Amino acid sequence: MLSILIPCYNYDILPLVSELHQQAKAIAIKFEILIYDDASNSKFNKTNASINNLEGCCFKILSNNIGRSKIRNLLGNDASYENLLFMDADTFPQQKNFIKNYLSHENEKVVYGGITNEVEVPEKPYKLRWLYTKKRETQSICSSNFLIKKSVFQLNQFDETLTTYGYEDVVFFAGLKENDIKIKTIQNWAIHRCQETADNYISKLETGLQNLLYLIEGNKLAQDESKLHKFYVLAQKFGMVPVVLLLFKTLKKGLIKNFNSSHPYIILLDFYKLGYFCLLKTKK
């Protein structure tokens, strides 16, 4: 009845799987939980392997790293049941009736439950990532927590040309929209439990912006699907791109310092993204 699918990389997945397993058992449904580690060679893999002792659960380490899109497609295609619940390894159900809530909407083709931040505010340099979840990810649709029919997923898969971090979920949900597949949004939050330093997140963000440029220039993503690209077009229209670039290069060290501080500002992160995207465009 339900396949719970979790891509994993260098993460202790046991607490999440134990909670989901307990919830599924409590409502007496047929289920499976598949967790594929993307060849991380992680210190957590020995602990994660104990998941295989839980009924209906499978933890598997891939022999080669295949990337965020391909591993999701692999999980979805390997799933046994029609209802596919995708979750990220660094999330956790906010409610004890998390699975039950989703199954009450199982007649829908796609259901998005939403992402929220942890209540406790982390200290620097982890606060930036927490703040981004609170200010941005709670307002958007991402692949960290959603239910989809397998029959729909098999016709609308993640773009496997994207092998690095960033925008694979934007392309995926844009594709659903293009094919007139309705996404029902409900309040069935998954808590984002990511403990990520500002420097690591900025590095991933830059990789993601490289993906965005590739997607837009390759006509894989409509220009109006990205708010950032809309701002770039506006800056270009008014001849502000050179100004943005100059400010970005001048202020970059100060911005990085702020991101690592106890008081990072998301508006500065928005500017950083625009400046870096302008930089990428000028290198073309």
Side-chain angles (χ1 to χ4, degrees):
M1 188 177 182
L2 179 66
S3 294
I4 302 172
L5 311 173
I6 309 171
C8 179
Y9 187 86
N10 190 28
Y11 202 85
D12 179 8
I13 197 72
L14 186 57
L16 171 60
V17 174
S18 298
E19 175 64 24
L20 294 171
H21 185 267
Q22 184 178 357
Q23 288 196 23
K25 292 284 285 184
I27 57 176
I29 60 169
K30 289 184 178 179
F31 73 95
E32 64 179 355
I33 305 178
L34 306 182
I35 310 98
Y36 291 176
D37 181 279
D38 203 5
S40 69
N41 193 28
S42 168
K43 64 180 181 180
F44 300 116
N45 285 346
K46 186 175 180 180
T47 302
N48 289 341
S50 66
I51 289 168
N52 291 316
N53 296 323
L54 295 174
E55 180 185 354
C57 296
C58 172
F59 172 76
K60 181 165 72 173
I61 304 169
L62 304 184
S63 57
N64 297 300
N65 184 279
I66 61 175
R68 293 167 59 88
S69 292
K70 196 168 184 177
I71 197 170
R72 284 170 171 78
N73 290 343
L74 182 63
L75 281 161
N77 294 328
D78 284 355
S80 302
Y81 300 115
E82 175 64 3
N83 294 310
L84 310 181
L85 173 55
F86 282 91
M87 295 191 71
D88 278 359
D90 58 2
T91 62
F92 199 84
Q94 188 185 58
Q95 302 178 56
K96 287 294 182 181
N97 56 352
F98 176 80
I99 290 178
K100 188 176 181 180
N101 286 344
Y102 261 129
L103 293 180
S104 68
H105 298 276
E106 64 177 316
N107 291 329
E108 303 286 345
K109 290 182 178 179
V110 185
V111 186
Y112 178 65
I115 295 295
T116 189
N117 54 286
E118 291 191 282
V119 174
E120 186 176 349
V121 183
E123 298 193 6
K124 65 176 185 179
Y126 301 98
K127 189 174 179 180
L128 177 72
R129 187 66 184 90
W130 175 88
L131 199 60
Y132 185 79
T133 296
K134 182 179 181 180
K135 298 292 187 180
R136 294 290 185 269
E137 288 182 327
T138 56
Q139 309 299 320
S140 61
I141 295 178
C142 63
S143 58
S144 300
N145 173 30
F146 74 101
L147 184 75
I148 186 170
K149 294 294 184 186
K150 183 169 182 175
S151 54
V152 174
F153 183 75
Q154 288 180 318
L155 296 175
N156 301 270
Q157 302 215 329
F158 286 88
D159 186 343
E160 295 187 0
T161 65
L162 294 175
T163 58
T164 54
Y165 174 89
Y167 288 90
E168 68 282 341
D169 48 358
V170 176
V171 177
F172 176 76
F173 287 108
L176 292 177
K177 189 170 84 172
E178 267 184 34
N179 291 323
D180 296 320
I181 297 169
K182 181 183 176 183
I183 302 169
K184 183 177 180 64
T185 301
I186 63 173
Q187 289 189 349
N188 198 30
W189 307 107
I191 301 168
H192 189 214
R193 306 177 88 178
C194 180
Q195 288 288 313
E196 186 170 31
T197 65
D199 286 342
N200 189 56
Y201 181 58
I202 293 302
S203 176
K204 288 168 64 175
L205 182 149
E206 291 178 353
T207 301
L209 293 176
Q210 293 165 27
N211 275 353
L212 176 61
L213 183 60
Y214 159 76
L215 290 166
I216 289 175
E217 294 194 341
N219 296 316
K220 289 174 171 284
L221 184 68
Q223 295 185 9
D224 60 1
E225 290 290 342
S226 167
K227 289 182 181 179
L228 176 65
H229 193 267
K230 288 179 183 178
F231 280 117
Y232 170 78
V233 171
L234 196 63
Q236 189 179 44
K237 180 180 178 180
F238 290 101
M240 294 296 293
V241 170
V243 178
V244 171
L245 269 173
L246 178 62
L247 287 172
F248 174 72
K249 291 176 181 178
T250 304
L251 300 174
K252 185 176 180 180
K253 287 184 179 179
L255 293 172
I256 296 294
K257 185 176 181 180
N258 173 260
F259 299 153
N260 280 279
S261 74
S262 298
H263 301 285
Y265 290 101
I266 291 299
I267 193 170
L268 294 182
L269 182 65
D270 291 337
F271 174 76
Y272 188 97
K273 290 165 68 176
L274 178 60
Y276 187 78
F277 190 76
C278 289
L279 185 65
L280 291 175
K281 290 288 286 186
T282 59
K283 289 182 177 178
K284 283 291 181 181

